[in-house]
Amino acid sequence: MKKQKIEIPILMYHQFKEDMNHVGNSIATYVTRKQFEWHLRTLKFLGYETITFRDLEKIGLENRLKRRYIILTVDDGYQDNYEILFPLLKKYQMKAVIYLVSDSYNRWDVEEYGVDKSPMMKEEQVREMIESGLVEFGGHTLHHCDFHVVDKETAKQEILENKKDLEEKYGISLLSFAYPYGHVTETAKKIVKEAGYHFAVSTSTGTGIITDDLYEMRRTSIDRTSVWRFLKRISGRYSVYKGKKWMRQQEK
């Protein structure tokens, strides 16, 4: 019997809420404090080691499956990342990668979908996270633009200026990039490479095998899911399974 392939799971979070009473008119992709703490406790119990993309480079892609690694990623950089995510990372000494937009709030969701305004983290909060060594930051464009819509020059400006802004402000080097909405185009991918990023993550595209394309690494979205679905999604085989389905669709 052919052995099923495994890969490092890359999970994707967005917002964190104190409880269901604090949801309001929010985006659908959120978890509560209690749910996220359960996620971390479960990962710890199952022997997962959370790493960042800088850690992955140090480990070496060829050694990525020698231990039970997992990468937690969080898009946009909302204030709740500091208020809920960060304390729990410190409590369990686990790591995450946060992709920052340069906007001060979720303008794209407010204008397009009419959801509640959610502020991004303050500069001093980001600095505290960096100093902790538990959080790595990556790029996510200036204004959360849609690469399926904007032209090449706008895409270039969104990617390059966001990277320059964050690196100069925080004195760091950004290693990875997340495509807003998970919308990957060959033009955007090329610009991301030329910008000096070493990795880029998508949402529902990519083969699920990291080394197939370092600039279209598939992630698994995590929200208010059941225990069984969470356990299934953190499996190293899940992203490979989803990647195979995506490739079959591409062939049609």
Side-chain angles (χ1 to χ4, degrees):
M1 182 181 293
K2 188 176 181 180
K3 191 174 181 180
Q4 189 176 3
K5 290 183 179 180
I6 60 173
E7 192 50 90
I8 296 179
I10 305 176
L11 308 187
M12 178 181 67
Y13 291 87
H14 278 84
Q15 288 190 280
F16 301 83
K17 303 294 182 180
E18 281 295 340
D19 52 49
M20 296 302 291
N21 295 321
H22 291 79
V23 172
N25 182 23
S26 180
I27 60 172
T29 50
Y30 64 84
V31 294
T32 65
R33 180 188 291 271
K34 183 177 180 180
Q35 288 167 334
F36 185 61
E37 182 163 17
W38 182 83
H39 291 173
L40 296 185
R41 290 176 63 183
T42 300
L43 293 175
K44 184 82 78 173
F45 175 77
L46 294 175
Y48 281 97
E49 179 180 343
T50 54
I51 62 171
T52 66
F53 285 101
R54 201 166 300 280
D55 292 330
L56 180 59
E57 275 207 327
K58 292 176 182 177
I59 291 164
L61 290 170
E62 70 279 6
N63 299 316
R64 70 190 186 281
L65 302 177
K66 289 189 175 181
R67 298 181 67 173
R68 210 170 193 186
Y69 297 120
I70 193 167
I71 301 176
L72 310 183
T73 68
V74 186
D75 284 8
D76 307 331
Y78 296 104
Q79 181 87 33
D80 57 52
N81 291 189
Y82 180 80
E83 297 167 346
I84 298 176
L85 166 78
F86 189 40
L88 290 173
L89 292 179
K90 289 191 289 186
K91 180 177 180 178
Y92 293 96
Q93 284 298 290
M94 300 178 84
K95 296 182 178 182
V97 180
I98 298 177
Y99 293 106
L100 289 176
V101 293
S102 298
D103 255 334
S104 59
Y105 71 97
N106 57 331
R107 187 189 311 273
W108 58 96
D109 281 332
V110 173
E111 294 179 355
E112 183 72 19
Y113 304 109
V115 303
D116 292 341
K117 183 177 179 179
S118 297
M120 300 299 160
M121 287 184 288
K122 297 179 176 64
E123 186 174 333
E124 60 269 22
Q125 295 170 335
V126 173
R127 292 188 185 280
E128 185 180 341
M129 285 181 158
I130 292 170
E131 291 170 4
S132 75
L134 298 177
V135 181
E136 177 177 297
F137 288 92
H140 201 39
T141 73
L142 289 171
H143 308 296
H144 204 276
C145 72
D146 186 343
F147 293 132
H148 286 176
V149 175
V150 301
D151 59 29
K152 180 179 179 180
E153 286 308 308
T154 301
K156 190 171 183 178
Q157 180 184 29
E158 288 278 340
I159 294 167
L160 297 183
E161 291 192 15
N162 171 245
K163 188 172 191 287
K164 181 182 178 183
D165 172 50
L166 296 176
E167 290 184 333
E168 291 182 352
K169 181 184 291 185
Y170 298 112
I172 57 176
S173 175
L174 303 189
L175 204 65
S176 65
F177 177 85
Y179 302 97
Y181 308 103
H183 290 177
V184 186
T185 66
E186 288 305 314
T187 296
K189 190 185 292 189
K190 183 179 179 182
I191 297 168
V192 168
K193 290 179 184 179
E194 291 172 348
Y197 284 108
H198 296 190
F199 306 96
V201 293
S202 63
T203 301
S204 55
T205 65
T207 66
I209 301 295
I210 286 176
T211 50
D212 281 350
D213 190 343
L214 297 181
Y215 293 89
E216 194 168 354
M217 299 166 72
R218 172 179 283 271
R219 294 185 291 173
T220 299
S221 180
I222 302 294
D223 49 25
R224 305 163 319 286
T225 189
S226 67
V227 172
W228 166 243
R229 289 185 71 188
F230 178 75
L231 293 174
K232 181 173 72 171
R233 290 181 182 191
I234 64 175
S235 164
R237 293 177 173 84
Y238 183 77
S239 63
V240 179
Y241 161 74
K242 296 294 285 187
K244 286 181 178 177
K245 288 186 67 175
W246 173 75
M247 285 189 288
R248 285 197 292 270
Q249 291 172 351
Q250 300 303 110
E251 293 169 356
K252 291 180 180 179

